[in-house]
Amino acid sequence: MQGKELFSQNKILNKTEIRQKNIMLESRVTSLVVTLTTRCNIFCIMCEEKSIPWDIPKNILKEIIQLFPYLEEIIWQGGEVLLLNYFEDLVEKANKFPSLHQSIITNGLPLTERLAEKLVRNNAELTFSIDAVTTELYESIRKGAEFKKLINNVKLINTLRKRLDLTSGMSFRMHTVIMDSNYLQLEKFIDFAKEYHFDALHLMPIWGNTDSKENIFYHKDSAALSYIKEHIEHAEAKAKEYGLNLLNSLPFSGNYNEDNEIGEKNGKKLSGNRLLCHMPWKRLVINPAGNVCPACHCREMVGNVLGESLNEIWNNEKMQMYRKKIVASDYEDLCNPNCIKGIISKELRGLN
């Protein structure tokens, strides 16, 4: 069976199984988030991944490549993926499947003009992680980084998009972790994203690393949370005015999504026909050390690629548990409270 036919049949089957709320799936995984390495060229003050030695084993990479015909999305992340000598070849292998959309998350610093042009030409979604918009703060958060080099590489992407007339195809995104050091720049991130022609900005907390004093949401820093609540609406309005797609995953009740069909508001469940989340029917996330979960914000791991294949994990007991609990609306002890409250957007719960 040809690649296009495999993809179409699997997508149709997957949608049918979601609609039928199946627990055991015949369809293959349609989305992967892959941590290729925890090696990095810089050290970020809020990051704990660099302390976990991880380079994805060749046999797991081979299995991922074998899944390319079935996938509609793959997200490559690190560490820093651009440090890997095989990464460009991996991207080219994925490019052979026109239905497979690639996203690359990088700090942007190791980017070369040759690789940048290749990514722009192939309409990959390129995401730069940027946690400050001034030299001093950026370089204090991302130790070993050079703000001037970052800006030059951002300008390089925009120059290539304009020169190749591919602005409508490629998506250029920005990820920003809001923490103790940078929350005062909240609205400045919106202006920076507009100035440098990013298509989308995702504001997020520190996922994990509860030991870090930077984790203002875990430690419930009252001054920081009050500031964010006071300024977030204006930031969102400004993003809308700019035509900037703003994803807000900051975990506080102030950004409850009113059009969420299933969730919780004021401690009461909202009724609705839609599942809380589709990720256990769509996605697997390979984290550092090989631990696997259905989505980045999921709290419960479902397996480890060092002990099971991805195909085995896809329908193992823990993945079935996720599906059963979501179907039964019995997810309070399992799912991230921010998903239940509707703070994690529909897009990030696979409902779009």
Side-chain angles (χ1 to χ4, degrees):
M1 193 181 295
Q2 296 298 313
K4 267 191 174 180
E5 193 176 350
L6 277 174
F7 175 82
S8 298
Q9 288 190 6
N10 189 65
K11 186 170 183 178
I12 291 168
L13 177 59
N14 184 255
K15 285 186 172 182
T16 300
E17 291 180 323
I18 292 172
R19 188 171 62 250
Q20 293 175 347
K21 302 178 181 178
N22 291 5
I23 306 303
M24 281 286 290
L25 305 184
E26 292 182 24
S27 60
R28 304 285 193 98
V29 60
T30 65
S31 173
L32 284 176
V33 180
V34 182
T35 303
L36 292 170
T37 183
T38 53
R39 283 182 283 156
C40 196
N41 54 320
I42 59 176
F43 184 84
C44 298
I45 60 174
M46 68 292 189
C47 180
E48 62 181 351
E49 289 192 356
K50 203 170 182 179
S51 64
I52 307 170
W54 172 250
D55 282 295
I56 198 163
K58 289 183 179 179
N59 65 308
I60 306 303
L61 204 53
K62 184 177 180 181
E63 186 181 1
I64 291 167
I65 292 169
Q66 290 171 346
L67 287 169
F68 281 175
Y70 304 96
L71 296 174
E72 59 183 340
E73 177 188 41
I74 192 160
I75 299 172
W76 304 114
Q77 64 182 19
E80 179 47 62
V81 296
L82 300 188
L83 297 179
L84 301 171
N85 57 15
Y86 65 81
F87 183 67
E88 191 172 335
D89 180 59
L90 188 62
V91 169
E92 288 181 350
K93 280 186 171 72
N95 279 338
K96 294 177 182 177
F97 298 89
S99 299
L100 173 53
H101 180 251
Q102 294 189 79
S103 296
I104 297 158
I105 300 176
T106 172
N107 58 47
L109 299 170
L111 191 68
T112 64
E113 186 168 353
R114 183 175 61 83
L115 179 56
E117 183 166 341
K118 187 170 292 188
L119 295 176
V120 172
R121 284 187 181 280
N122 286 291
N123 291 332
E125 180 181 277
L126 186 61
T127 298
F128 277 20
S129 297
I130 302 172
D131 304 309
V133 299
T134 56
T135 301
E136 184 178 0
L137 185 55
Y138 175 82
E139 294 179 358
S140 69
I141 291 174
R142 295 186 164 254
K143 296 186 182 298
E146 185 183 342
F147 189 67
K148 183 179 179 181
K149 187 172 186 179
L150 169 74
I151 297 301
N152 287 341
N153 284 347
V154 169
K155 289 179 178 178
L156 170 63
I157 293 296
N158 285 321
T159 298
L160 289 170
R161 294 176 82 191
K162 187 174 181 180
R163 190 178 82 202
L164 299 172
D165 195 26
L166 294 173
T167 52
S168 61
M170 179 194 180
S171 177
F172 192 27
R173 300 166 70 98
M174 176 173 154
H175 278 185
T176 298
V177 176
I178 299 297
M179 62 190 108
D180 185 59
S181 291
N182 70 1
Y183 70 87
L184 292 174
Q185 291 198 341
L186 179 63
E187 291 191 46
K188 292 181 180 178
F189 288 121
I190 309 293
D191 296 325
F192 181 91
K194 177 183 184 292
E195 179 182 356
Y196 289 102
H197 308 290
F198 286 93
D199 302 302
L201 168 62
H202 186 183
L203 301 176
M204 63 189 73
I206 297 173
W207 302 117
N209 201 2
T210 55
D211 291 333
S212 174
K213 70 176 184 64
E214 294 290 337
N215 198 331
I216 54 177
F217 298 100
Y218 178 79
H219 295 297
K220 297 181 173 58
D221 184 312
S222 58
L225 297 184
S226 294
Y227 182 90
I228 293 169
K229 287 180 182 180
E230 184 180 341
H231 290 82
I232 192 65
E233 285 190 17
H234 189 252
E236 289 174 337
K238 187 182 284 190
K240 187 174 182 180
E241 177 189 339
Y242 291 162
L244 175 69
N245 180 18
L246 179 65
L247 294 173
N248 178 12
S249 295
L250 301 181
F252 58 85
S253 60
N255 69 341
Y256 173 81
N257 187 351
E258 291 290 348
D259 68 357
N260 186 33
E261 293 186 36
I262 290 184
E264 184 180 289
K265 189 177 183 183
N266 299 325
K268 296 179 180 179
K269 279 193 178 182
L270 300 176
S271 61
N273 295 319
R274 298 182 74 175
L275 298 169
L276 172 72
C277 176
H278 287 177
M279 287 308 189
W281 285 265
K282 289 183 173 184
R283 174 176 284 183
L284 291 175
V285 179
I286 304 175
N287 293 297
N291 292 315
V292 177
C293 59
C296 296
H297 38 272
C298 291
R299 300 188 298 178
E300 223 25 69
M301 296 298 120
V302 296
N304 189 293
V305 294
L306 300 180
E308 296 177 272
S309 70
L310 289 171
N311 285 330
E312 287 171 335
I313 292 171
W314 184 233
N315 273 312
N316 72 9
E317 188 177 329
K318 289 187 175 180
M319 281 297 286
Q320 290 183 55
M321 174 193 68
Y322 260 101
R323 295 170 191 145
K324 284 177 183 176
K325 282 183 168 287
I326 289 174
V327 167
S329 296
D330 181 29
Y331 38 67
E332 287 88 349
D333 64 339
L334 176 68
C335 292
N336 188 319
N338 295 314
C339 292
I340 297 171
K341 293 175 182 176
I343 292 170
I344 301 294
S345 70
K346 289 182 179 182
E347 178 180 339
L348 296 176
R349 288 181 284 130
L351 299 176
N352 55 322

